[in-house]
Amino acid sequence: MATAPETAPAPVASPLTPKGGLLTRVAAWTSERSNPIVVRYARQQLRSRGFIILFSTVLGFATLFSVTVGANADNQGEGTAAMTLFGLLTAIWAFAVWVFEPIAAFRATATEREEKTWDLVRLTGLSPGRLVRGMFLASVIQGLLYGAAIAPFLVMAYLLRGIALSQILFVLFLIPVAGWCASAGAIFLGTVSAAKGVRNALGVLVAIVAGFIWFSTLTIWLNFDFAGRFFLAGLIEGPGFVFLADFAVIWIGAMLVLGATILRHPASNRSTAPRLYAWVVFLNGVIWSLAIGGDFVTEGLVVASFFGAIAAFLLGIFAITEDFTITPRQGRELAKMRWWQLPIIFGPGAARGRLAYLSLIAAIAATLTFAYFNEGTLRMSSEPLVFTVLICAHGTILLTLSDSVVRLWFARRMGTPAMRRVFFISVFASLGFIGSVITSLAGERSVLSAITTIPGMWLVADRPARFEGVLAALLAVAAVCALALLIQALRRTSVLQRTNDDGGSL
C-alpha cells in the first residue's frame, strides 16, 4: 500500500536571527561584527564599583555646583556666574577623563599582559591591533558617558549668559580629546612589559602624570573667566584648533601602533609599522604646510621637519639597535611584501633599519634646504631650523657611536636589541647630565659647552652665528657617521635564525 509522501517540515527560525524592526537588525548586525574587546571591556568597566562611584560623584558635584552658583547668580556680575559654573563643571569632567580613565585603561591593558591571561588571548586569534583598538574604543565610550552626564549642567551654564558658544564647543572638544590622548598613552605603557614590578612602576607613573596634568590645569578651570576670554579665545580664532586636532590624531595613532607592535610575537615583523608611522608623522606636517600655503609654508616646513627629526631619532633607537639577522617568520613576511611597499626600507632587520633612518634624515634635510632657500634671507627666526639640524646631527652621531661600541665591546653582555636600547638611553641621559655640569662650570660662551648633547644644542641654536665652527664640525662628523651607517647597511646581509617566545635565540 502506497503511503503519502512526507512533507518537509516547515523551516524553524534560528534563535540567533534578529527579530524586530530595522533598528534592531542593525544593532544585532553591529554587535556581531564589533570588536569583542570593546564589548567585554566596556561591560566590565560599566559594571565596576569604581565607575559607579565616580559617575555618582560627578553627578553629585555637578548638581551641587549648579544649585550653589545658580542661587547666587543675582549677586554676581554679568557673565561671572556662567564662567564660574562652566569652569567647575569642566574641572570635574576633566578629572574623570584625564585621571580616572587613563588609570583604568592602563590597568585593563596590563591585566591582559599577565602570563596566563595573555596565553588565552593569543588562543582567541585576536590580532594585537584589534586588542589595542578595542581597549581604546572602550575607553572612549566610557569617557563619553561622563560627558553625557555633564552636558545638561553645561547647558545651564550657557543659559546663565556671559559665555560664548564657541568657548563651550572648544572645551567640549578639548576635554574628551585630551582624555583620549591620555588613555592611548596609558594603553601603550600597559603593553610595555609583562613583568609585575615594571607594570606596578608604570602604573604609579601613569597615576602621577595624569594627576599632575589635571592639577596643573585646575587653576585655568577655576579662573575660567580669565582663561576663556584670553587664552582659549586665541586658540579658537587662530589655527590652533586644527593643529590640536591633527596632533591628537597623530599622537593616538602613534601610541596604538607602538602598543600593537610590542604585543606582536617576538619572532614576527615588528619593524614595518613603526617605520611607516615615522614617515606619516613627517609627511603629515609637510602636507599641512603645503596645503595652507601663503607665508606659512616656510614656518610650517620647519615645524614639520622638527617633529620629523624627533620621529627619526626615536625610529633610530629601535631600528638601528635591531639584530642584523632575521627570523624565518620575518623572512616569510619580508618575501610577501610587494616592491611598492619598499621592503628595502620598511622590512625587518638592522640593515634595513639603517636605510629607513637615513632615508628619513635625507628627506628632512631636503625639506629644510627648501625652506631655507624659499625664505631667502631667512627673515624668520633661525633657531627652530638650526635646532632641527642639531637634532639630526647629534642623533646620528650618538646612534652610530653607541651602537658600534655596544656591538664591538659588549656583544656578550648586551647581545639583544632591548639591552642595546637600554645602553643607548643610558648614554644619552649621562651625556645630557655631563653637558649640564660642563655648561655650569665652563659658561655658555665656551666651545666645550656648545658641543655637549642637550645644553649645547640650545646654545648653538640660540647663537648660530657665534658657533658657526661648532655647527660645521658637528655636521661633518654626522655626515661621516651617516656614511658609516650606509656602509653597514649595504655590507650586512640578513641571516635567518630561530627565536623563541621571549625573543632569545634558540
Side-chain angles (χ1 to χ4, degrees):
M1 180 176 180
T3 58
E6 297 181 359
T7 58
V12 180
S14 172
L16 298 179
T17 304
K19 299 180 180 180
L22 177 62
L23 184 60
T24 303
R25 293 195 296 271
V26 171
W29 182 87
T30 304
S31 177
E32 291 176 0
R33 290 160 178 79
S34 60
N35 193 317
I37 297 297
V38 178
V39 179
R40 180 174 68 85
Y41 176 58
R43 286 178 177 177
Q44 289 178 350
Q45 291 299 314
L46 295 181
R47 295 176 181 176
S48 65
R49 184 179 302 176
F51 173 79
I52 295 174
I53 293 175
L54 182 62
F55 192 82
S56 303
T57 303
V58 169
L59 284 177
F61 274 106
T63 304
L64 178 63
F65 292 153
S66 300
V67 172
T68 304
V69 175
N72 298 323
D74 294 337
N75 300 327
Q76 302 180 23
E78 183 179 359
T80 303
M83 289 288 186
T84 303
L85 178 58
F86 193 80
L88 292 172
L89 295 175
T90 304
I92 59 174
W93 185 19
F95 177 81
V97 298
W98 290 7
V99 180
F100 181 81
E101 265 309 299
I103 295 176
F106 173 84
R107 293 180 59 186
T109 309
T111 302
E112 298 290 346
R113 286 284 284 151
E114 292 182 359
E115 184 176 354
K116 296 181 180 179
T117 306
W118 183 239
D119 291 338
L120 296 176
V121 172
R122 282 181 173 178
L123 293 176
T124 61
L126 283 173
S127 65
R130 292 193 68 190
L131 175 64
V132 172
R133 289 193 300 270
M135 289 290 183
F136 174 72
L137 292 176
S139 180
V140 169
I141 293 173
Q142 189 170 346
L144 292 177
L145 291 178
Y146 296 115
I150 292 290
F153 302 97
L154 296 178
V155 174
M156 177 181 175
Y158 176 70
L159 294 177
L160 289 175
R161 300 184 181 278
I163 182 172
L165 184 60
S166 59
Q167 295 175 350
I168 295 178
L169 295 177
F170 182 76
V171 171
L172 289 177
F173 163 82
L174 178 64
I175 298 300
V177 170
W180 298 344
C181 292
S183 296
I187 290 172
F188 163 70
L189 292 178
T191 64
V192 168
S193 176
K196 186 176 181 180
V198 177
R199 287 192 285 112
N200 292 337
L202 291 176
V204 174
L205 178 64
V206 170
I208 292 176
V209 172
F212 175 77
I213 293 175
W214 175 78
F215 186 78
S216 61
T217 60
L218 191 60
T219 304
I220 297 178
W221 309 129
L222 297 181
N223 297 276
F224 194 79
D225 189 5
F226 173 80
R229 297 181 187 277
F230 296 95
F231 176 71
L232 296 180
L235 291 176
I236 297 172
E237 295 174 358
F241 182 84
V242 178
F243 292 152
L244 286 177
D246 183 68
F247 176 80
V249 172
I250 293 296
W251 170 265
I252 293 173
M255 294 297 101
L256 298 185
V257 167
L258 293 177
T261 300
I262 293 176
L263 292 181
R264 296 199 68 183
H265 192 277
S268 62
N269 181 11
R270 289 179 164 186
S271 306
T272 300
R275 295 176 189 178
L276 280 171
Y277 205 83
W279 275 91
V280 169
V281 173
F282 171 64
L283 294 178
N284 171 74
V286 173
I287 293 173
W288 270 108
S289 303
L290 298 178
I292 295 176
D295 298 333
F296 187 75
V297 172
T298 301
E299 291 82 352
L301 291 177
V302 173
V303 173
S305 300
F306 171 76
F307 285 104
I310 296 177
F313 180 70
L314 296 176
L315 169 65
I317 295 177
F318 290 91
I320 293 178
T321 55
E322 288 185 15
D323 292 325
F324 282 101
T325 57
I326 62 175
T327 64
R329 182 181 298 188
Q330 291 173 345
R332 291 191 295 268
E333 295 181 10
L334 179 63
K336 293 179 181 178
M337 296 180 67
R338 304 293 184 181
W339 65 268
W340 50 268
Q341 294 176 316
L342 300 178
I344 190 63
I345 295 177
F346 299 116
R352 296 176 184 84
R354 281 158 168 72
L355 294 178
Y357 173 77
L358 293 176
S359 62
L360 185 55
I361 290 294
I364 294 171
T367 304
L368 290 176
T369 303
F370 175 80
Y372 178 82
F373 286 105
N374 183 60
E375 187 67 18
T377 58
L378 200 63
R379 292 184 297 272
M380 68 172 187
S381 175
S382 61
E383 181 177 350
L385 190 148
V386 176
F387 193 75
T388 304
V389 171
L390 289 173
I391 292 177
C392 297
H394 279 273
T396 303
I397 295 171
L398 291 179
L399 287 170
T400 305
L401 296 182
S402 63
D403 185 73
S404 300
V405 168
V406 75
R407 290 182 189 271
L408 292 176
W409 296 347
F410 304 102
R412 293 184 178 180
R413 297 182 180 180
M414 300 181 180
T416 63
M419 293 301 298
R420 287 191 285 269
R421 290 159 191 162
V422 171
F423 177 81
F424 172 78
I425 294 174
S426 301
V427 170
F428 182 75
S430 301
L431 290 178
F433 174 76
I434 295 173
S436 301
V437 175
I438 292 176
T439 303
S440 62
L441 295 177
E444 296 183 352
R445 296 185 177 183
S446 172
V447 175
L448 185 61
S449 301
I451 63 176
T452 56
T453 301
I454 297 179
M457 295 168 62
W458 292 104
L459 293 176
V460 176
D462 186 51
R463 304 164 186 170
R466 179 182 180 84
F467 297 106
E468 286 184 357
V470 174
L471 181 59
L474 287 173
L475 291 179
V477 176
V480 173
C481 292
L483 181 61
L485 291 177
L486 180 60
I487 294 174
Q488 293 173 3
L490 297 178
R491 293 182 61 183
R492 298 299 298 264
T493 57
S494 299
V495 182
L496 295 182
Q497 70 172 0
R498 301 194 65 175
T499 306
N500 59 13
D501 288 346
D502 297 328
S505 300
L506 292 178

